[in-house]
Amino acid sequence: MRRTYRAAVSSAGAASVVLLGACSDPSALVPRAEEAGRISTLFWVMLAVGTAVFLLVAALLVASVIRSRRESAEERPGDGVRMVALGGVVLPVVVVVPLAVYTLVTASALSAGDDQPVLVDVVGRQFWWEVRYPGHGVVAANEVHIPAGSDVTVRLRSRDVIHSFWAPRLHGKVDLIPGETTSLHISDAEPGVYRGACAEFCGIQHAGMKLLVHVQPPAEFAAWLDDQRQAAAPPAGSDESRGLEVFLRSGCASCHTIRGTDARGAIGPDLTHVASRSTLAAGVIPNTRGHLAGWILDPQSVKPGAGMPPIPLEPDELHALLDYLETRR
Ligand code: CUA
């Protein structure tokens, strides 16, 4: 008895951990934009209807067991056909058709606004996100900034394989498909920083393909866009100058761009404002001097399978390079 009680308590505990976990950030059940709100409502309606159907079926099952024990299980003619018609045709039609219609209405509301101007282009790459603001000359990575309270169109493309853009508190998953363009609309988002991730298996670092969506008050967003538009400031001081020289000479520049310098690589993220980002390697490590140093010297032990090769540097070269990169705000 005691063992049963303990098992019941621990199962209930495990179930509540799972349920409560579903309600914390970045849960789709705590929506912060209109689209995520629609998806969340659809989920709760489906759950409520599914639960009601389950309880009804369970009650019928119990009733039939009780009845078969009491009476001598005598079947009246036509009972079987009536039950099949009721439970197999009428009930599913009454339950499933309205749910299907509601789902289609929600899906069509989510895809509305395909004719709106695009604010931001997100390009999926193995294993990071390129983020471009057409018409503004802004190229960022792994952090999408959008204005709060407005209608935002995000255009999605892929450079290699299929990825999927998913910021659960703002919208559902939308695939990025090579050779095609898809999009998603985020309306009336509340200010905050929301976690997102790639939601389609895309290779060894699929789990290391995270992103952050910063929803900012419009004035703050405009200021951010303005900052990001600027080319890199010239290095201040001899250490930073040496750092830029190391960057240009050690192979960094063949993959990365720093606008305003001779570095024009297009394989890895644009690093013009790398120091303004809170993470490196698409959300795998925090953007600190130590992590940046480890990432430069031995990226494969930080994120195995990433496109970044190791850059062997002498300690003084590394420090100069870090001095330069840390001031790319
Ligand atoms: Cu990109 Cu999974």
Side-chain angles (χ1 to χ4, degrees):
M1 190 62 193
R2 184 168 253 183
R3 195 179 284 173
T4 321
Y5 173 73
R6 227 181 269 156
V9 168
S10 57
S11 316
S16 60
V17 165
V18 171
L19 285 174
L20 290 175
C23 294
S24 66
D25 183 72
S27 173
L29 301 183
V30 191
R32 288 292 179 266
E34 198 185 302
E35 288 74 12
R38 285 179 187 276
I39 294 170
S40 167
T41 308
L42 178 65
F43 168 81
W44 288 114
V45 169
M46 290 253 185
L47 184 70
V49 174
T51 306
V53 170
F54 171 76
L55 292 177
L56 177 67
V57 171
L60 285 174
L61 185 68
V62 171
S64 72
V65 168
I66 292 170
R67 198 180 143 204
S68 72
R69 282 199 176 169
R70 265 202 211 139
E71 300 162 17
S72 50
E74 220 174 88
E75 241 185 56
R76 280 165 300 202
D79 263 6
V81 177
R82 212 174 301 137
M83 280 310 285
V84 168
L86 207 64
V89 181
V90 177
L91 190 64
V93 167
V94 168
V95 172
V96 173
V97 169
L99 279 184
V101 170
Y102 181 36
T103 305
L104 291 175
V105 168
T106 303
S108 99
L110 291 180
S111 65
D114 274 340
D115 45 351
Q116 284 173 16
V118 173
L119 174 74
V120 48
D121 266 317
V122 174
V123 183
R125 323 223 354 193
Q126 281 172 314
F127 301 95
W128 58 283
W129 308 89
E130 187 173 82
V131 181
R132 291 175 173 270
Y133 290 78
H136 295 279
V138 169
V139 187
N142 306 320
E143 287 186 14
V144 177
H145 290 241
I146 60 172
S150 20
D151 279 357
V152 172
T153 298
V154 183
R155 185 163 55 185
L156 303 168
R157 283 179 286 206
S158 170
R159 270 293 183 88
D160 34 52
V161 299
I162 301 175
H163 304 274
S164 186
F165 184 100
W166 192 29
R169 297 182 75 178
L170 302 175
H171 202 291
K173 302 168 185 175
V174 179
D175 281 1
L176 293 75
I177 301 164
E180 286 197 31
T181 302
T182 51
S183 65
L184 64 86
H185 310 283
I186 299 173
S187 316
D188 215 5
E190 291 173 32
V193 181
Y194 304 106
R195 283 162 61 194
C198 179
E200 177 72 43
F201 182 73
C202 54
I204 186 168
Q205 277 300 338
H206 161 66
M209 194 171 163
K210 301 170 215 176
L211 75 142
L212 290 174
V213 182
H214 293 251
V215 179
Q216 298 170 299
E220 206 178 288
F221 169 73
W224 175 84
L225 202 59
D226 210 39
D227 273 351
Q228 296 282 314
R229 194 182 293 133
Q230 312 300 324
S238 59
D239 285 343
E240 285 180 32
S241 299
R242 173 117 197 273
L244 172 59
E245 194 190 299
V246 172
F247 190 91
L248 295 172
R249 159 170 68 70
S250 308
C252 311
S254 40
C255 292
H256 298 281
T257 289
I258 293 184
R259 280 172 274 139
T261 73
D262 290 335
R264 297 203 184 94
I267 294 170
D270 184 303
L271 300 181
T272 312
H273 297 281
V274 63
S276 72
R277 298 172 200 152
S278 59
T279 70
L280 296 169
V284 172
I285 45 174
N287 190 1
T288 61
R289 190 175 175 97
H291 280 102
L292 181 55
W295 176 239
I296 292 168
L297 294 176
D298 189 8
Q300 295 304 313
S301 68
V302 175
K303 189 174 177 180
M308 171 102 168
I311 311 290
L313 294 172
E314 293 301 324
D316 58 322
E317 293 175 318
L318 176 66
H319 280 289
L321 179 58
L322 293 172
D323 286 343
Y324 178 67
L325 291 176
E326 279 190 323
T327 49
R328 300 304 100 200
R329 300 219 140 262

